[in-house]
Amino acid sequence: MNRPTICPKFEKAISLLSQRWTALVIYQLLSGTQRFSEIQSSIGISGKVLSERLKDMEHHGIVKRKVIPDTPVIIEYSLTEKGMSLEPILREIENWSQLWIQLENVSS
Amino acid sequence: MNRPTICPKFEKAISLLSQRWTALVIYQLLSGTQRFSEIQSSIGISGKVLSERLKDMEHHGIVKRKVIPDTPVIIEYSLTEKGMSLEPILREIENWSQLWIQLENVSS
DNA sequence: ATACTTACTTACATAAAGTAACCTATTTAG
DNA sequence: CTAAATAGGTTACTTTATGTAAGTAAGTAT
């Protein structure tokens, strides 16, 4: 019932990138190393889901996690080479959004 | 609590494209006009969600729907100009997936 | 009349995401 | 000493999204 007309690598990439929040987190990290709470406040994701996503991305080799045993502890997240290689995709989306997306008026 | 450090147009584009199935449907339609059941069987989506997604995409001006009152009725879906303009994004993802995604062995 | 087709919709079940409160360790304030 | 703050989470519970299966409409074939 489910014959893979579509390339499985492509499908895998899509399912990774279209996980909710994943692309936004990567986009944030494109501008450099950030801490948990910075990412959280910049994209408005809940702590629960952010910690899930960061774990997933670590497993996928997209994000690096560095623990600095200061007090309180500092944990820095950054992109790996694989993560960085997603930049062209995000830039295409950014570019497309400027050309084709129009904002609705969200309360005056 | 949710301060928009990120461009709202970009965020909107991301939320559109990372809706589950949306990117795969667009990708399918890049190869030309298709019918409901063709899309359904090629990407393995349920009829319920496919009809939801197609409606959403119509609202977003990405997909065109053409009814041909044959019997049984034929309904053709294709990309609008806006939909077509997403091609570079999908191609970047395709390209990235070939370079960076490795398949696991899924049963011998 | 019955069965078949396409493109759906509806009802119900499960999975994913959101919210708020809590946890651990350490430092600072009173 | 107790209370509050901080960073980075986790836990329990609720809401939303998705999946599954069965049903619908209109017309055709048998």
Side-chain angles (χ1 to χ4, degrees), chain B residues 20-108:
Chain B
R20 194 165 188 187
W21 300 110
T22 297
L24 284 178
V25 171
I26 295 167
Y27 184 75
Q28 268 300 301
L29 292 177
L30 281 176
S31 54
T33 296
Q34 285 181 46
R35 300 174 64 176
F36 191 91
S37 51
E38 289 179 289
I39 301 170
Q40 199 178 358
S41 61
S42 64
I43 65 179
I45 186 180
S46 75
K48 176 198 166 193
V49 179
L50 180 55
S51 74
E52 276 175 21
R53 285 300 171 275
L54 289 168
K55 270 183 214 159
D56 291 350
M57 292 187 211
E58 241 193 300
H59 284 138
H60 285 287
I62 283 176
V63 159
K64 272 192 295 268
R65 182 186 142 109
K66 186 180 174 191
V67 179
I68 299 170
D70 205 342
T71 179
V73 67
I74 291 173
I75 297 177
E76 287 184 344
Y77 293 95
S78 57
L79 294 176
T80 61
E81 193 195 349
K82 183 176 179 182
M84 291 291 194
S85 71
L86 290 162
E87 181 161 10
I89 296 170
L90 280 299
R91 295 300 171 212
E92 280 291 348
I93 297 173
E94 195 173 37
N95 183 49
W96 182 83
S97 72
Q98 298 308 309
L99 291 170
W100 292 95
I101 296 290
Q102 52 180 310
L103 270 10
E104 284 131 35
N105 53 325
V106 188
S107 81
S108 56

Side-chain angles (χ1 to χ4, degrees), chain A residues 40-85:
Chain A
Q40 199 179 356
S41 61
S42 63
I43 65 179
I45 185 180
S46 74
K48 176 199 165 192
V49 179
L50 181 55
S51 73
E52 276 175 23
R53 284 301 170 276
L54 288 168
K55 271 182 214 160
D56 290 350
M57 292 186 210
E58 240 192 301
H59 284 138
H60 284 287
I62 283 176
V63 159
K64 271 191 296 269
R65 182 187 143 108
K66 186 180 173 190
V67 180
I68 299 170
D70 205 342
T71 178
V73 69
I74 291 173
I75 296 177
E76 288 184 346
Y77 292 95
S78 57
L79 294 176
T80 60
E81 193 195 348
K82 183 175 177 181
M84 292 289 194
S85 70

